[in-house]
Amino acid sequence: MREFRLTHLLVVCCLLALSGWSCRQSDKVAGQQTVYQDTAFWQEYHEPYPIGPNPEENQVRSLAIDGQNTVWAATATGVFRKKAGGRTWEAVLPEADSGPAFAVAVDRESAIWLGAWNGLYRHRAGELERINGPEAPISALCVAAEGVYACGPKGVWRQEASGWKRVKLPNVRSIRKAVSDGRGGLWLGTDVGLYHYKADSTDYFYKTDHLISAYVKGLAFDSQQKLWAGGLGGVSVLNGYQLEKTLKPENGLSSIYVTCVERAPDSTMWVGTEVGVVRYLPNGNHSLRFSRRWLLDDKVNAIAFDAAGTAWIATPRGVSAIKKRKMNLAQKNDYFYTVLMKRHIRDPWIAGQCKLNVPGDTTTFAPDDDDNDGEYTGNYLAMECFRYAATKNPDAREKAAKAFRFLKLLQEVTDTDGFFARTIVPANWTEVDDGNRTFTSRQLADELVKEPRFKPVEVRWRKSKDGKWLWKGDTSSDEMCGHMIGYFLYYELVADEAEKPIVRQHVARLVDYLMKHNYNFVDVDGRPTRWAVWSPEQLNRDPEWAPDKSQNSMEVLAFLKLAYHMTGQPKYEKEYRRLIDQEHYLDNMAAIPQQNPAWFIYFDVMLQAYVYPILIQCEKDPKLRGFYEKHMDAWMDRRRNDHNPLVNFFYCYSRNKQTDLPASVDFLVDTPLDLVNWVVDHTQREDVKISRSPVLDELQINELPPASIRTVVRWDKNPWAAINGDPSIEREPVFWLLPYWMGRYLKMIE
């Protein structure tokens, strides 16, 4: 009998396993990866090393790394060095010899060579000596098997056993870079072309059948011993004396002004430009690093690598180090979650950005209020819900409850029967964003002409009845959407039988308030807020609300459906059906794909993402559910090129499918650790074009920038934006944590 039971159990387990595998495969898009096994990847990050307070000290021209990982830097005021692990720089040249330095190099015996305004120096065994022979100034150095070359406007000299010997070359004075050919010869990049010096002859190249232009500033051999010559116009790749290919903006160069080229230890070719550094892998793939997130200045003067593969980059504002470390997504989650708890949760449990007392410096910070604290904390609540559902970690449950209580407090603090605030701050705060103000008649007239729907709100902040809080009114439609998805997920994934009635009553209170005011969110002044309007009188019968007609119709259907789903009260279903049957809200929603392009803003994409799960998972009518599913399928097709992991995972969650995982994981992997909202200006780049699609009224670029070179993401912001950022704030990392935990919950990330 025991053997029969064991055999029966094994059969059942096998059937269940096969069933689970089959279900998983049934939703698999042909040829797509549907599960990502979390493995380590190289996470890059930037560390800045300014040399000193004097701007000229930070004008770095050349870098070298010795065997002890000491960094040597030639600057406009002299040569400096920084020991491994340190942050401070010390001057190398005596004060009497300080002045412009141009080149540093490490030879095969670990001596450091310094090219300066007044000649050549060698630093060896702790001693500095001035070298006789080469004539000052020395602007370029090259270490070769046959010795060290020192180059400058007055000639080229080679170190030999008997001393320094002048190399017989044409009268070349503008030498920018020198590299050994490995056979006793020397390649020279100059303002007038490329020279190849050999013992018995010198070849000269300047015509366009060899070079994009004669202005050559950077030279380096790749792993196949092809010479990369960078300068004005791009990079010319020579195989022997034959031009094999060129690299220009259409091949990924961010600028035609190439300043240097170096090969990394992993054979990646790093091309410095006046708009950042572009890295080319041997397979042709390339990536860009620019903006203050990655570099102290976008102009790259020189690049050097240490033994660990760290790229040390010379800029006019100091030295930048682009480092890397092994990390998997789980470790990245731990990092971001720690930052979230340390700097981005403020009382009474609001998840939001923080202000930096010194722009870019996260060592001192202060809490900050935001118009969308409710929406963003709704995102945070959703994240904790998925974290709890995936792990059953009581910490996630406790924090989800805190976030829910904050959102609920936003309603309670207004002392109304259903209106809620945008955000709250302690009553003793002396500074808030977007404070109370007055409008003169002239200002009001000006605003009304610009936007006839404009609502002058002079009192935005009010004190709560208990005197503890200041609360902000004029709450918008996006706040309502952000709240509702948080409530839905908390109810479905976290709340127990004791908590569910509280959630039900709260959601019912909000929806009752909307119904009472004919689906307008009425503020304490007795008038609808500027944006939170869902009434048929406005959406269907006021032309000025035509831009919001389709979107807002979709939203209010979700609010009513959620209230009915939670409470079972027929009044919500009755109103839901009335808006569909008599006011044609479903027809309005159906028109979203045909929305006039003048009315599209990327913000709407996320509001749709918030309400689709409610409409699909709460609807029991097969016909209506089929409509919503088909509507979301078409939406996903339109949004696929955004490579938005939150869109992708909301779709997978709503439709019980597994799709677009590689794009989602690519974003999670590529996202930088730096959350300072550095300004990113893509208009400087020459490898992309300015575009007005898909958002006509916003400057964009024609290629979606990867996460690593965007401003810090907020999903309601346009990912195609050309210019954005404010380094005086650090964004909260919920934008990353929410899709990560959705992927974990969906078992698409394991």
Side-chain angles (χ1 to χ4, degrees), residues 28-40:
K28 186 175 181 177
V29 177
Q32 281 202 13
Q33 175 190 6
T34 59
V35 179
Y36 173 76
Q37 297 292 339
D38 192 10
T39 55

Side-chain angles (χ1 to χ4, degrees), residues 114-136:
L114 320 174
W117 67 280
N118 60 348
L120 180 66
Y121 294 82
R122 178 171 60 188
H123 192 282
R124 183 173 58 177
E127 298 293 330
L128 180 70
E129 60 178 318
R130 178 90 171 268
I131 303 299
N132 294 321
E135 295 183 38

Side-chain angles (χ1 to χ4, degrees), residues 225-239:
Q225 290 305 298
K226 296 173 184 176
L227 182 65
W228 290 43
L232 180 62
V235 178
S236 307
V237 181
L238 300 174
N239 189 354

Side-chain angles (χ1 to χ4, degrees), residues 566-635:
M566 288 183 175
T567 68
Q569 293 184 28
K571 65 178 181 180
Y572 302 118
E573 182 70 8
K574 180 180 178 181
E575 277 299 289
Y576 170 78
R577 290 285 181 166
R578 182 181 73 82
L579 291 180
I580 290 175
D581 297 335
Q582 298 178 29
E583 297 293 350
H584 310 290
Y585 271 35
L586 207 64
D587 296 332
N588 294 348
M589 176 180 169
I592 284 178
Q594 289 79 47
Q595 184 180 34
N596 190 293
W599 300 339
F600 175 75
I601 57 174
Y602 197 85
F603 197 92
D604 289 346
V605 172
M606 285 319 303
L607 301 188
Q608 292 157 10
Y610 294 156
V611 299
Y612 273 124
I614 298 170
L615 290 169
I616 291 173
Q617 298 203 14
C618 296
E619 182 56 73
K620 305 306 178 187
D621 183 314
K623 184 177 179 181
L624 282 173
R625 182 174 178 132
F627 169 85
Y628 295 137
E629 289 175 340
K630 185 176 179 181
H631 198 278
M632 192 179 195
D633 290 345
W635 173 82

Side-chain angles (χ1 to χ4, degrees), residues 164-177:
W164 288 84
K165 180 180 178 182
R166 180 188 284 270
V167 176
K168 294 182 179 179
L169 276 167
N171 191 20
V172 183
R173 296 188 295 273
S174 57
I175 299 173
R176 306 304 175 194
K177 182 68 175 180

Side-chain angles (χ1 to χ4, degrees), residues 48 292 343 355-364 674-678 726-730:
R292 179 56 184 78
R343 294 197 288 270
K355 291 187 290 191
L356 303 178
N357 297 337
V358 177
D361 182 357
T362 59
T363 58
T364 59
D674 187 352
L675 297 170
V676 174
N677 196 32
W678 297 110
D726 176 1
S728 67
I729 60 175
E730 184 187 52

